[in-house]
Amino acid sequence: MVKFIKAGKVVVILQGRYAGKKAVVVRNHDEGTKDRPYGYAVVAGVERAPLKVTGSMGKKKVAKRSRVKPFIKIVNYNHMMPTRYALDLEQIKGTISADTFKEPTQRDEAKKVIKTLFQERYQTGKNKWFFNKLRF
């Protein structure tokens, strides 16, 4: 079987709380581990996408509507659908490790770092399609 879910691949989450949300694979484990005996991936995604901004809005309102709410999660391969798109994620890779999910405080810190990276990427105009809400 060909391993096509690699780091940087954009996926759509199919099951659970984040069903229908876009995410990017940060780290993949094709064979699984001892405590998770199935193929899975660590993903970082957009829980709440930024809202539409118009020219007549003030700076404060634009800043509020341009916020991105991220999530990080370990997802079974069966619960995600890969897309043909990929994102470069050099900065994201360093923030999430195996220990990140063991303690809630580390998870929150990782989410904050990812939030700043996602917002920076959104405001520069890179990968606009990643921050759009899926319509279906």
Side-chain angles (χ1 to χ4, degrees), residues 4 9-10 16 33-34 51 53-54 63 66 77 97 105 108 111-112 114 116 120 125 133 136:
F4 56 91
K9 178 71 84 172
V10 175
T33 56
K34 196 170 187 176
L51 299 168
V53 176
T54 62
S66 297
Y77 281 168
S97 65
T105 54
D108 290 340
K111 258 197 254 186
K112 284 177 187 171
I114 289 170
T116 56
E120 186 180 298
K133 193 175 180 181
F136 58 90

Side-chain angles (χ1 to χ4, degrees), residues 51-134:
L51 299 168
K52 186 180 177 185
V53 176
T54 62
S56 61
M57 291 180 186
K59 284 183 181 176
K60 193 174 179 182
K61 192 163 192 175
V62 167
K64 193 171 177 84
R65 292 176 74 94
S66 297
R67 287 190 187 147
V68 178
K69 186 176 182 186
F71 68 88
I72 55 173
K73 193 165 174 61
I74 295 173
V75 184
N76 188 330
Y77 281 168
N78 295 336
H79 302 289
M80 60 182 162
M81 182 176 67
T83 63
R84 63 183 178 177
Y85 301 106
L87 272 165
D88 56 317
L89 51 111
E90 294 306 313
Q91 303 106 333
I92 297 173
K93 245 183 180 174
T95 60
I96 299 175
S97 65
D99 304 329
T100 307
F101 294 95
K102 289 190 171 86
E103 203 174 309
T105 54
Q106 288 181 325
R107 191 185 201 122
D108 290 340
E109 286 176 29
K111 258 197 254 186
K112 284 177 187 171
V113 172
I114 289 170
K115 180 178 180 165
T116 56
L117 292 171
F118 277 175
Q119 280 185 315
E120 186 180 298
R121 186 165 285 195
Y122 173 73
Q123 280 158 355
T124 55
K126 289 182 180 172
N127 312 111
K128 282 274 194 198
W129 51 268
F130 185 70
F131 300 103
N132 290 345
K133 193 175 180 181
L134 274 177

Side-chain angles (χ1 to χ4, degrees), residues 5-23:
I5 298 179
K6 294 187 174 84
K9 178 71 84 172
V10 175
V11 296
V12 177
I13 307 296
L14 300 175
Q15 298 285 329
R17 180 179 181 181
Y18 304 112
K21 305 291 183 193
K22 291 180 205 163

